[in-house]
Amino acid sequence: MNSTCGFQIWKLASQLAFCVILYSSVASVGHGQIDNLTMIVDSATATGGNAIAAFGYNPVEDSIFVSSFGAGGALRKITSLSSTPTASVHVSEAQLQLYYRDGDPDRGVSSPLQSGILLNPLAIGSVGPYEMAVFADNGFTRFPASTTMDPAATKRFYSYNLQPVPEGGDGRDVYSTLTTLSDMQDSIVSTSTSSNQGRQFAWSGDGQSVYFLDSSTAFGGLWKLDPLSGEVERLLAEDDLNTEPAVVRVGAVDSIFFRGGGSTGNAGGIDKVTYDGAIAGARTVVVAAADLQAFLDAPATATPTIFSMTTDADGNLYFNNTASSTNSRGIFRLDELGRISKVVGYAERDLFFTGEAGVAPTPNSNTLRMQTRTVSHPTAGNVTQILYAESSPLNLIAGAYAFEPGDFDRDGDLDSSDITLFQGGLATRGATITDDGDYRFDLNGNAAVDWRDVKVLQQFALFADGDANMDGQLDLVDLDTIGANYYTTSNPQGKTWIDGDFASIDPLYAADAVDANLVNEVDLALFADTWLTVLEQPILKAEITSRGYSGQFLTDALAAFDLGLDGDYNGDGRVDAADYTVWRDGLNGGFAPFGYDKWRANFGATLIEGEGVASVPEPAALSLAAMLLAVIVWRRQGGISCW
């Protein structure tokens, strides 16, 4: 489908939709609150005060297994998540370390370093759904009475039977080793003992395999693990994959997503590899770094840094950004159509969990171990919720609601009520949010509600460039808005999209662009191009001249639609002395000084009515224009009047 055809279909559908909902009432918004976050399990219940490591959600039991880092770390099972979460220790640190040591107390081990816990989503072998868990571990075990790491005893992946350690037992009673460091060495014929699987893994689309990433020099790449036999295979050898991957399955092919870079050169973006069970495709770009940077509206130095990803049942990809700029951090959604939108920003996390932005303890930059589930929201209906770890200093499990983009009143859909709410929160480029309730309108997570958010919303609400009132129709009412706020007005600054500020001379419309928050010829040209080229709507000169426009705006509007003449400042279809007078008298009212050059170059030109075609002045006419200018200058200097 070409773009013109697509926009014509869009126009018909959007006009019909807005006619139906035009008079619907606007739902009230509770300002001063952050409503897209909730605390699932507090720190004391989740970890007993330790640093949170990893967790695995069980939707069948409404429970979560949570492990913690460091001395005193333990594996806890949290039940009754939807009511009163209650914790019980299933494996203590001492019991885990006996499993690390294979029961030999003479072996040295690291503190617990469990980096991933996921239950099986589908039946595998004789194991039913959610009846086992796979653990990723980045710890190590030494040879007995030695300081040297023992690859054969160093566990990288093990399965868990979901049971507490029996009385008098240890971790060997509940954990079964799947893959050791020695197994990984054998797989790629290496003797290195430096590996790094410090990130959560992902289940394959058919639930029969596990994909994990290693970011070390020797073992770096994308790996596949058999969760029953423990057999491993490296599918891609690159050492920059320090990401928790995500998987979307189409047919019998998995797309495995991770941060960009390496062989694609897409550092700061999103890449993927496809795998059909036999052959892994080449690493390819999914989202270019430049496109993600533009979406985030982030400083050039704040390269997006993605550490965690997950997906939902609808094929949406969720990813975090932990860049140095707090105003570009957050959790974001990439849908199947390639549209990116914010789920939750850093400022919202800060306000929700600490009560005041920028005041200690501020949240960690990371939102790790992301997992999705569907929950029933009191007003929005069934909504995807992203469970994630709020790392130190908070050390709790949070839930972020992934509302439909643009559903600002949280009623489950995007309609005119949401548009009205958004318009009320819209501010100029780069203006920081001051009302906490306005963070819902910040669709790219940069703590501002401005032009960039309009461009995100435009993809979901389907209004065209130039549609100032966002009603789904590009009409002369929108042109009236441009005229009322054109840069020749007495107060030209402080304009937004709803005033006609659609574009900028800066292609990316930076917040510090020279024409930021200004309605000028760039906006008018975009409006006319959308009208004529994209929507292919006809227009007559009389439709412009009959609306009461005058001066520079009338001239520019006719020119934008190719209905006027450069230098025809009174709009009568001729460039003559009368136009010079209009230009001269209008200098203080905003006429551009270079407008004289347009008048001089086109002196004597006329417009052929109905065709929008100008006759080109002959050389004699240009000479006449020069003589006329000399007479006018002489007159203004005190010469004899000729009129």
Side-chain angles (χ1 to χ4, degrees):
M1 179 184 295
N2 62 42
S3 60
T4 299
C5 179
F7 264 96
Q8 292 290 358
I9 294 173
W10 154 78
K11 181 185 174 186
L12 178 61
S14 59
Q15 288 179 354
L16 177 60
F18 272 92
C19 284
V20 172
I21 62 180
L22 184 60
Y23 297 104
S24 62
S25 61
V26 178
S28 62
V29 173
H31 285 274
Q33 67 181 40
I34 305 300
D35 68 350
N36 56 351
L37 284 167
T38 186
M39 183 165 63
I40 305 298
V41 184
D42 63 37
S43 178
T45 306
T47 69
N50 279 22
I52 191 168
F55 69 88
Y57 173 62
N58 185 344
V60 175
E61 293 187 352
D62 190 32
S63 64
I64 289 183
F65 286 97
V66 186
S67 66
S68 51
F69 285 132
L75 177 68
R76 289 172 168 81
K77 182 177 182 180
I78 319 296
T79 57
S80 304
L81 292 180
S82 301
S83 52
T84 305
T86 303
S88 60
V89 175
H90 272 214
V91 185
S92 70
E93 180 194 14
Q95 292 168 336
L96 172 63
Q97 290 195 345
L98 277 174
Y99 167 63
Y100 278 176
R101 294 182 170 98
D102 292 330
D104 185 346
D106 287 336
R107 287 180 178 272
V109 295
S110 65
S111 296
L113 285 174
Q114 293 166 333
S115 55
I117 306 170
L118 292 179
L119 280 71
N120 62 310
L122 299 171
I124 178 168
S126 61
V127 181
Y130 299 101
E131 290 183 357
M132 66 172 283
V134 172
F135 279 58
D137 201 307
N138 215 36
F140 59 84
T141 302
R142 297 187 178 98
F143 287 103
S146 170
T147 59
T148 303
M149 183 189 297
D150 181 356
T154 294
K155 285 76 174 170
R156 283 292 168 253
F157 289 90
Y158 42 92
S159 61
Y160 172 51
N161 66 8
L162 311 186
Q163 300 302 308
V165 171
E167 185 175 353
D170 59 49
R172 291 172 294 172
D173 296 302
V174 295
Y175 295 135
S176 298
T177 302
L178 293 172
T179 306
T180 64
L181 178 58
S182 178
D183 294 327
M184 293 182 65
Q185 289 176 328
D186 292 344
S187 177
I188 61 171
V189 190
S190 172
T191 59
S192 172
T193 58
S194 178
S195 63
N196 182 17
Q197 300 88 40
R199 301 292 175 196
Q200 179 175 274
F201 51 92
W203 284 93
S204 61
D206 63 3
Q208 305 304 297
S209 303
V210 160
Y211 300 116
F212 68 93
L213 301 177
D214 188 295
S215 60
S216 66
T217 300
F219 299 97
L222 167 64
W223 293 70
K224 183 186 76 166
L225 162 73
D226 185 321
L228 295 182
S229 69
E231 181 182 356
V232 287
E233 174 187 2
R234 186 160 63 172
L235 305 179
L236 172 71
E238 296 198 33
D239 63 5
D240 67 311
L241 304 182
N242 192 6
T243 319
E244 297 175 350
V247 177
V248 172
R249 189 173 184 86
V250 178
V253 178
D254 284 341
S255 289
I256 306 142
F257 298 87
F258 40 81
R259 71 162 66 173
S263 58
T264 65
N266 188 35
I270 298 175
D271 291 350
K272 75 172 183 180
V273 164
T274 58
Y275 183 65
D276 63 4
I279 300 174
R283 181 175 181 174
T284 58
V285 174
V286 177
V287 178
D291 292 338
L292 184 53
Q293 186 86 3
F295 163 81
L296 294 168
D297 208 15
T301 55
T303 302
T305 305
I306 298 168
F307 279 119
S308 186
M309 291 183 171
T310 190
T311 56
D312 63 19
D314 295 325
N316 294 303
L317 175 69
Y318 300 92
F319 63 94
N320 73 356
N321 178 35
T322 66
S324 58
S325 171
T326 56
N327 285 350
S328 61
R329 293 176 185 166
I331 299 175
F332 305 91
R333 168 171 41 200
L334 174 68
D335 70 14
E336 292 181 289
L337 299 179
R339 301 174 298 186
I340 306 175
S341 58
K342 179 208 72 175
V343 174
V344 63
Y346 183 84
E348 290 165 300
R349 292 170 53 213
D350 199 359
L351 287 166
F352 185 85
F353 290 111
T354 68
E356 189 173 354
V359 176
T362 55
N364 195 291
S365 63
N366 259 315
T367 53
L368 299 175
R369 322 309 189 212
M370 296 196 301
Q371 299 162 42
T372 60
R373 65 174 182 169
T374 300
V375 298
S376 179
H377 186 270
T379 60
N382 289 337
V383 175
T384 295
Q385 185 183 71
I386 303 167
L387 304 176
Y388 72 92
E390 276 286 356
S391 304
S392 296
L394 300 181
N395 294 310
L396 55 86
I397 299 175
Y401 293 106
F403 293 112
E404 289 299 314
D407 180 18
F408 304 123
D409 58 10
R410 311 312 196 206
D411 67 353
D413 59 16
L414 168 56
D415 56 24
S416 62
S417 297
D418 300 298
I419 298 297
T420 301
L421 290 172
F422 178 80
Q423 290 171 332
L426 184 60
T428 53
R429 288 286 283 130
T432 302
I433 292 173
T434 57
D435 185 329
D436 294 353
D438 286 348
Y439 279 101
R440 70 183 62 200
F441 310 129
D442 176 19
L443 294 173
N444 72 332
N446 69 340
V449 183
D450 60 13
W451 178 87
R452 185 66 66 183
D453 301 295
V454 177
K455 299 304 292 182
V456 177
L457 179 62
Q458 193 178 13
Q459 300 175 88
F460 301 94
L462 299 179
F463 54 88
D465 285 337
D467 184 1
N469 57 12
M470 306 179 188
D471 67 350
Q473 302 181 65
L474 192 70
D475 53 30
L476 294 175
V477 173
D478 300 305
L479 187 59
D480 293 344
T481 298
I482 302 174
N485 295 285
Y486 209 54
Y487 72 96
T488 57
T489 61
S490 59
N491 183 24
Q493 301 295 327
K495 307 303 180 185
T496 69
W497 180 283
I498 60 178
D499 301 314
D501 183 24
F502 311 126
S504 168
I505 60 173
D506 180 342
L508 293 178
Y509 195 173
D512 60 355
V514 295
D515 61 342
N517 314 316
L518 183 71
V519 181
N520 61 5
E521 287 177 280
V522 178
D523 306 297
L524 182 57
L526 182 65
F527 178 92
D529 183 65
T530 305
W531 185 294
L532 297 173
T533 306
V534 179
L535 300 182
E536 298 182 332
Q537 297 179 154
I539 193 168
L540 299 174
K541 181 179 180 181
E543 293 181 85
I544 305 294
T545 58
S546 65
R547 299 192 72 83
Y549 307 145
S550 61
Q552 184 85 54
F553 179 69
L554 174 60
T555 300
D556 291 348
L558 290 171
F561 284 99
D562 200 22
L563 296 171
L565 291 170
D566 282 345
D568 179 17
Y569 297 123
N570 62 3
D572 66 356
R574 299 185 299 274
V575 181
D576 53 23
D579 299 302
Y580 174 82
T581 303
V582 172
W583 170 78
R584 180 198 66 201
D585 295 343
L587 280 176
N588 292 333
F591 267 87
F594 52 77
Y596 162 74
D597 295 329
K598 294 181 180 180
W599 171 81
R600 183 178 184 277
N602 287 284
F603 185 84
T606 59
L607 189 70
I608 302 173
E609 282 295 337
E611 299 180 15
V613 179
S615 62
V616 180
E618 297 295 332
L622 294 176
S623 300
L624 178 60
M627 289 188 291
L628 178 60
L629 173 64
V631 171
I632 292 172
V633 171
W634 178 62
R635 177 192 176 199
R636 296 191 68 187
Q637 292 175 345
I640 299 174
S641 174
C642 296
W643 0 92

